[in-house]
Amino acid sequence: MLEKIIKKITFHTKLILNHPNSLRLAIGYFFLLSGISRFLKIKKGNYKINFSRNVLALNCFVDPNSRNEEELIIKSLLKSGDTYVDVGANIGTLCLASFKNINNLSVYAFEANPNTFKTLERNFKLNQLYDAHTYQVALGEKDQEITFSNIGTDDQNGVVKEGISYKRTLRVQMKKLDQVVILPKISLLKIDVEGYELFVLQGALQNLKNCAAIYFEYSPINTSKYNYHPLEIIKLLESLNFSIHIPIFKNEEIVLTQFLPSNHESDLNLLAINNNSQQSFNKMDYQSIN
């Protein structure tokens, strides 16, 4: 037991010392360990979140600009009256950034980990997002009970494949998105589920017919945990008549570059646009990769 405690202290001490904002990180750890964080709110843009025991909350305390580019991209893809579906919503920051900037936005948030889900709901309540549709469920390709990781780096929790052991796990329900809800229109579907993206899409084929755009993570490292390459995601989406792009927020607009699989073996976020959709993305600047 003592050896584990020493290892943990050593790990976090090195993390603090090597961090570019070490003082702020040390203060954040102090607030969390002392319990003071329970009384604190973190302001991020025009919304606030509770200073909860979540990696993302700690990152936002240390750097309020954390994940700003993602927030800008998501907000730029939405307009008044749209429907935003967030799969792997974590503590709700992307939902809140969109809700606070887009009028009459319909929000559907899915988070499998029950502890993280409680924080998400608290953050929604803090920002008066009362009419969001929230679901504490994992999304995938079938209806079943699964093992889900419950590690300290909660932003990396995900479905645990059979035969893989984690120190901390819990059992949660998995469903297809098409089982949970069929929406007449999805303006933007965001998926960040640590490599399980392909199976989420396989369980959402009915909804994808009505989906204008999908913002998702392309990660060979994460998908390898489930024995597939993220190019399978690309093939599935292209078969459904989606075109694949790399989005970058630049000069107050999104610049889209063509995604060429041969050039990318590292992690990045991609945007799939439904070529059958009536939703306009005219404000985007399209470029090609030379």
Side-chain angles (χ1 to χ4, degrees):
M1 178 64 73
L2 180 59
E3 184 179 351
K4 288 183 179 179
I5 293 173
I6 293 173
K7 282 184 178 180
K8 195 169 185 178
I9 292 173
T10 302
F11 170 79
H12 287 290
T13 300
K14 287 182 178 179
L15 190 65
I16 292 171
L17 293 175
N18 293 324
H19 196 276
N21 200 343
S22 56
L23 178 59
R24 187 79 175 173
L25 180 59
I27 293 171
Y29 273 125
F30 170 75
F31 285 156
L32 286 169
L33 293 172
S34 65
I36 294 175
S37 59
R38 289 177 295 173
F39 307 102
L40 301 178
K41 312 300 178 189
I42 302 168
K43 183 168 175 56
K44 196 172 188 318
N46 58 355
Y47 68 91
K48 296 179 182 179
I49 60 172
N50 293 282
F51 195 168
S52 54
R53 286 182 173 272
N54 299 88
V55 168
L56 183 51
L58 178 60
N59 288 342
C60 289
F61 173 79
V62 175
D63 178 12
N65 294 319
S66 174
R67 297 187 79 182
N68 265 13
E69 182 168 334
E70 272 192 295
E71 292 187 7
L72 290 168
I73 289 174
I74 296 294
K75 289 186 292 186
S76 297
L77 292 167
L78 295 166
K79 62 183 184 303
S80 178
D82 276 352
T83 298
Y84 172 53
V85 179
D86 192 328
V87 181
N90 202 280
I91 60 174
T93 54
L94 293 180
C95 293
L96 290 171
S98 303
F99 166 73
K100 286 292 187 178
N101 285 272
I102 310 295
N103 294 326
N104 303 315
L105 184 70
S106 294
V107 174
Y108 290 77
F110 294 83
E111 173 54 48
N113 187 294
N115 301 315
T116 306
F117 181 78
K118 288 177 183 177
T119 302
L120 177 145
E121 290 204 307
R122 287 177 57 222
N123 286 336
F124 281 8
K125 184 177 180 181
L126 175 65
N127 291 273
Q128 300 180 331
L129 177 48
Y130 298 123
D131 57 352
H133 305 269
T134 58
Y135 304 86
Q136 194 262 291
V137 64
L139 292 184
E141 76 284 19
K142 60 180 71 173
D143 183 1
Q144 62 178 339
E145 189 178 63
I146 59 161
T147 301
F148 201 83
S149 63
N150 191 32
I151 57 178
T153 49
D154 49 85
D155 58 334
Q156 298 175 26
N157 279 320
V159 177
V160 177
K161 186 182 174 185
E162 289 186 17
I164 305 297
S165 62
Y166 276 80
K167 290 182 179 179
R168 296 176 61 191
T169 61
L170 39 79
R171 300 288 287 177
V172 301
Q173 190 64 35
M174 173 183 284
K175 290 183 179 294
K176 296 180 180 181
L177 177 60
D178 288 349
Q179 284 180 296
V180 179
V181 62
I182 299 290
L183 295 169
K185 179 189 74 170
I186 299 176
S187 309
L188 180 63
L189 168 63
K190 169 254 168 181
I191 310 174
D192 184 358
V193 287
E194 300 302 307
Y196 215 72
E197 285 78 8
L198 176 64
F199 309 108
V200 172
L201 292 168
Q202 289 174 342
L205 296 179
Q206 190 63 37
N207 276 291
L208 291 182
K209 295 176 183 178
N210 308 317
C211 180
I214 307 168
Y215 183 72
F216 65 98
E217 185 179 40
Y218 177 98
S219 172
I221 294 174
N222 284 338
T223 59
S224 66
K225 296 182 296 187
Y226 305 107
N227 298 326
Y228 78 95
H229 192 278
L231 284 178
E232 291 188 42
I233 300 174
I234 306 302
K235 290 177 182 177
L236 173 62
L237 291 175
E238 288 180 338
S239 74
L240 298 172
N241 205 20
F242 283 84
S243 55
I244 315 300
H245 311 271
I246 304 171
I248 300 172
F249 196 81
K250 184 179 180 182
N251 298 327
E252 302 302 317
E253 65 181 7
I254 296 179
V255 175
L256 295 181
T257 56
Q258 181 185 0
F259 173 73
L260 299 177
S262 59
N263 292 350
H264 299 284
E265 279 302 319
S266 57
D267 293 4
L268 71 163
N269 291 318
L270 297 178
L271 180 68
I273 296 178
N274 191 337
N275 298 318
N276 297 324
S277 174
Q278 299 301 310
Q279 183 159 330
S280 173
F281 295 101
N282 291 336
K283 290 185 179 181
M284 297 181 188
D285 181 14
Y286 290 80
Q287 297 181 357
S288 60
I289 298 175
N290 295 320

